[in-house]
Every structure is written in structure tokens, then in C-alpha cells.
């Protein structure tokens, strides 16, 4: 059983398009996250939801909008895609605070904007 | 501001040799310390964590790490590496004063046959 699953695994699209990435966790965790990993492997947190409530919203263009329909799902919608959005996006979950609880990551979505 | 430094961008080790990956942090109090591993094309997986207590912690896959407060370090070790250990390793430090999790830039481990 996959603990944190995200789809799609690869996403190739053109500039200006709108796309979504879906994430689901079956661990019963109360907190979910979106991370962005750039080409140099640097990890940057984008958003965090606790029990469907947004608790972290880092400096991210407002073209990125997370949506959490329930505790087990956190989707990421991106409008008007730009070349600089190309990266690997990871969904993660934890039970409790993200700074003091282990994170469980999905396998990532590699987004390529052409 | 708090920071996490992994001084080695990449390390090459022969299979069967010992390994030490370095992690240094700047933080006043005792932080929450983590090591994660990212295999190619995969997400990150927790190797081990330190919150308090015994400063030598054991993790999965035969890894261990030692917290040294005096050196602000949390180095990861393995006595004998296997080819399957080739991956990117990330150190992360949790800060409960401003609720941040700060990531190192990662160290790529290359295994020589």
C-alpha cells in the first residue's frame, strides 16, 4: 500500500497552461505539505495544511493554489504556467507539527514547462 | 537566521568502505534533527531522527548518526556501504522557536564498485 501517492508522475505542458497535481495519503496524518525541489535538489516548502486548514503559505506566486477537500487529500493547482515552474513537486504528510515530526513523502511529480 | 550546512556536495566511496556525511547547523537550543535519503526518481525517506536522549541514534538500512552539541553537528555514518546506498542525503533541522524545518542542500553519495 502506497502511503503518500501523487499523480501524475510526469507532467509536460506548455507555458500559459493550467495544470493540477493530486496527492492522497492513507496514513491517517493530520498535516500535509507541498514541497518544490529545484534542479539543484534544493527543497522549499510551499504550503502546509493541518486538518484541511492552511497553516503555511510561503512566498509562492498566487498562481499556485492548494486545495484540501479532506484530511487525506491535498491538491495543487497551477495557473498560467511559466518556464521557472519546471521542478519536481513533492507531497508529504506528517502527524503533528512539521518541524518536529517525521515527514512521509510521495514519489514526486516532475513538471516540465516548455 | 538558522541554517543547515552539508559541506560536501558529493562524496565517492568504494563499496564496502565506511561512510560519514557531515551536517552542521546553527541554532541555539537543542533542535530536532533528521536525516532523509532520496533515491533516484523517488521521494525522500526518513533514515533517522534525534529529539533528545542518547546522542547516538540508530536508523534504518544500517545507518546511525551522532548529535554533538559542542560541534553543532549531526553526522551520518555507516560502517560498510552497499551499491544500493547511492542516493542523495539530506539533513534537516527543526526549530520550535519559529516553527521552521530547515533543509541542508544535500550530499550526493556515489558508490564505486
Amino acid at each position: 500500500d502506497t502511503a503518500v501517492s501523487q499523480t501524475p508522475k510526469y507532467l509536460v505542458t506548455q507555458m500559459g497552461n493550467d495544470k493540477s497535481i493530486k496527492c492522497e495519503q492513507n496514513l491517517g496524518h493530520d498535516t500535509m505539505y507541498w514541497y518544490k525541489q529545484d534542479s539543484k535538489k534544493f527543497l522549499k516548502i510551499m504550503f502546509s495544511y493541518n486538518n484541511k486548514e492552511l497553516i503555511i503559505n510561503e512566498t509562492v506566486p498566487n498562481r499556485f493554489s492548494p486545495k484540501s477537500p479532506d484530511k487525506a487529500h491535498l491538491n495543487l493547482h497551477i495557473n498560467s504556467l511559466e518556464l521557472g515552474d519546471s521542478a519536481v513537486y513533492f507531497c508529504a504528510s506528517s502527524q503533528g507539527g512539521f518541524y518536529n515530526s517525521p515527514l512521509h513523502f510521495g514519489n514526486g511529480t516532475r513538471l516540465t514547462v516548455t | 537566521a538558522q541554517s543547515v550546512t552539508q559541506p560536501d556536495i558529493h562524496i565517492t566511496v568504494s563499496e564496502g568502505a565506511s561512510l560519514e556525511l557531515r551536517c552542521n547547523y546553527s541554532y541555539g537550543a537543542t533542535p530536532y534533527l533528521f536525516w532523509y535519503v532520496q533515491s533516484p526518481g523517488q521521494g525522500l525517506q526518513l533514515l533517522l531522527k534525534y529529539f533528545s536522549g542518547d546522542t547516538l541514534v540508530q536508523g534504518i538500512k544500517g545507518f546511525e548518526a551522532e548529535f554533538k552539541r559542542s560541534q553543532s553537528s549531526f553526522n551520518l555514518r555507516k560502517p560498510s556501504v552497499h551499491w544500493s546506498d547511492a542516493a542523495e542525503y539530506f539533513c534537516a533541522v527543526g526549530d520550535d522557536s519559529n516553527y521552521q524545518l530547515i533543509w541542508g542542500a544535500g550530499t550526493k553519495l556515489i558508490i564505486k564498485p
Side-chain angles (χ1 to χ4, degrees), chain B residues 4-57:
Chain B
V4 178
T5 302
Q6 293 181 245
D8 304 302
I9 296 173
H10 53 80
I11 280 185
T12 301
V13 176
S14 296
E15 191 169 14
S18 64
L19 169 71
E20 182 169 31
L21 301 182
R22 296 182 289 165
C23 175
N24 293 93
Y25 62 90
S26 67
Y27 181 57
T30 300
Y32 301 94
L33 299 163
F34 306 86
W35 273 101
Y36 287 85
V37 60
Q38 183 180 21
S39 298
Q42 302 291 315
L44 283 77
Q45 179 184 23
L46 179 72
L47 280 176
L48 45 78
K49 64 184 187 293
Y50 173 78
F51 289 176
S52 64
D54 192 346
T55 56
L56 183 64
V57 293

Side-chain angles (χ1 to χ4, degrees), chain A residues 9 35 37 40-45 56 88 90 98-108, chain B residues 32 34 36 38 41-46 49 51 88 90 94-96 99-101 103-105:
Chain A
K9 187 171 176 63
Y35 274 88
Q37 186 177 48
K40 295 186 178 179
K41 301 286 188 179
F42 182 72
L43 276 164
K44 176 181 164 59
I45 190 165
I56 293 175
V88 180
F90 287 101
F98 77 106
Y99 63 90
N100 62 357
S101 302
L103 297 171
H104 295 254
F105 284 83
N107 284 334
Chain B
Y32 301 94
F34 306 86
Y36 287 85
Q38 183 180 21
Q42 302 291 315
L44 283 77
Q45 179 184 23
L46 179 72
K49 64 184 187 293
F51 289 176
E88 193 90 23
F90 292 91
D95 169 4
D96 64 2
Y99 309 109
Q100 286 190 358
L101 182 66
W103 293 86

Side-chain angles (χ1 to χ4, degrees), chain A residues 46-83:
Chain A
M46 301 173 69
F47 303 102
S48 173
Y49 270 76
N50 177 264
N51 286 318
K52 295 171 49 180
E53 182 182 343
L54 181 65
I55 58 170
I56 293 175
N57 185 359
E58 292 294 314
T59 306
V60 174
N62 58 15
R63 298 180 294 103
F64 290 80
S65 55
K67 281 190 173 56
S68 181
D70 56 55
K71 270 181 26 173
H73 296 85
L74 180 62
N75 303 323
L76 183 65
H77 189 76
I78 316 170
N79 290 327
S80 303
L81 278 155
E82 300 178 357
L83 291 176

Side-chain angles (χ1 to χ4, degrees), chain A residues 3-31:
Chain A
V4 181
S5 60
Q6 53 183 109
T7 55
K9 187 171 176 63
Y10 299 98
L11 189 50
V12 181
T13 188
Q14 292 183 327
M15 285 175 56
N17 285 348
D18 303 338
K19 291 293 179 186
S20 292
I21 307 172
K22 295 186 176 182
C23 179
E24 176 181 5
Q25 56 98 1
N26 63 6
L27 297 167
H29 288 167
D30 59 5
T31 309

